[in-house]
Amino acid sequence: MPLYRDEAVVLRVHKLGEADRIVTLLTRRHGRVRAVGKGVRRTSSKFGARLEPGSQIDVQLHTRLSEEQHSQARQRGLDLVTQTESIASFGAQLASDYPRWTAVSAILETAERMTDEGEPAMRLYLLVVGALRALVEREHDPGLILDAFFVRATSLAGWEPALEECAKCSAPGPHAAFNVQAGGAVCPDCRPPGSARPELATVRLMVALLRGDWAVADASAPLPRREASGLLSAHLQWHLERGLRSLPLVDR
């Protein structure tokens, strides 16, 4: 079986048998990978502690596929973890901080939902690492970091919400209505019934989160933050076509 090595973030783990664990990884070059960690639940395991959600690792894996098949596969069997080196233990550093840990959980679940096995997703990988690092550095509110991740992840996937023009007719904004099904902000002529009517400060906050303008985001008031969180999470889940299990636990 050929070996390959990559950087990865651990997205999810679950038990397999008495001592093993199935690990879902988002890798830098190979996309989402599922692998078996043999014996990692034993206290004597050399790398069990590194295979925890939110950990960034350098990992070596065995695969049953050739390199060409590996790069093209969408669905495949489980690889085997043979070696790991820790790069950053983001999850362990945030596990005791409930607001930040719940943001980590939502970020990891979103990354898993937005990727296919074997499909490269380097930009999303870098976005996940950047969000986890920002949570650890504690320079910004965890809710803002999570919302920034949501809006940038949807942009990478081609689902970026319209914020500065009408989602339907492209009329320049700002517009006083937002409709998830329509794709974002909508003008008075295109506004569907039941559209939300957020504060203009909310729209400015969402634009700032998309652009990385943290001076504007950090200075935002509680009401625009609540409205932006609701709209961005609704927009994301609409495109994912189902809700995020971790989102109701997020401490806003």
Side-chain angles (χ1 to χ4, degrees), residues 8-9 17 25 40 52 54 74 90 93 102 124 131-133 135 145 149 154 159 177 180 198-199:
V9 171
L25 305 168
V40 297
E52 294 292 341
R74 288 180 176 271
F90 298 122
Q93 294 179 68
T102 53
L124 182 60
L132 297 180
R133 184 175 292 116
L135 287 169
I145 294 172
F149 175 80
T154 55
W159 311 329
V180 171
E199 299 283 334

Side-chain angles (χ1 to χ4, degrees), residues 106-174:
I107 289 168
L108 300 181
E109 183 183 357
T110 301
E112 182 176 6
R113 294 279 191 86
M114 295 184 72
T115 50
D116 294 317
E117 286 190 38
E119 287 292 324
M122 182 181 292
R123 294 176 69 188
L124 182 60
Y125 168 82
L126 296 174
L127 185 64
V128 170
V129 171
L132 297 180
R133 184 175 292 116
L135 287 169
V136 167
E137 291 173 350
R138 290 177 164 82
E139 293 182 1
H140 309 292
D141 181 87
L144 291 177
I145 294 172
L146 178 60
D147 292 334
F149 175 80
F150 282 168
V151 70
R152 295 180 198 180
T154 55
S155 178
L156 288 180
W159 311 329
E160 182 178 316
L163 298 173
E164 299 180 280
E165 60 183 23
C166 177
K168 289 194 168 185
C169 70
S170 300

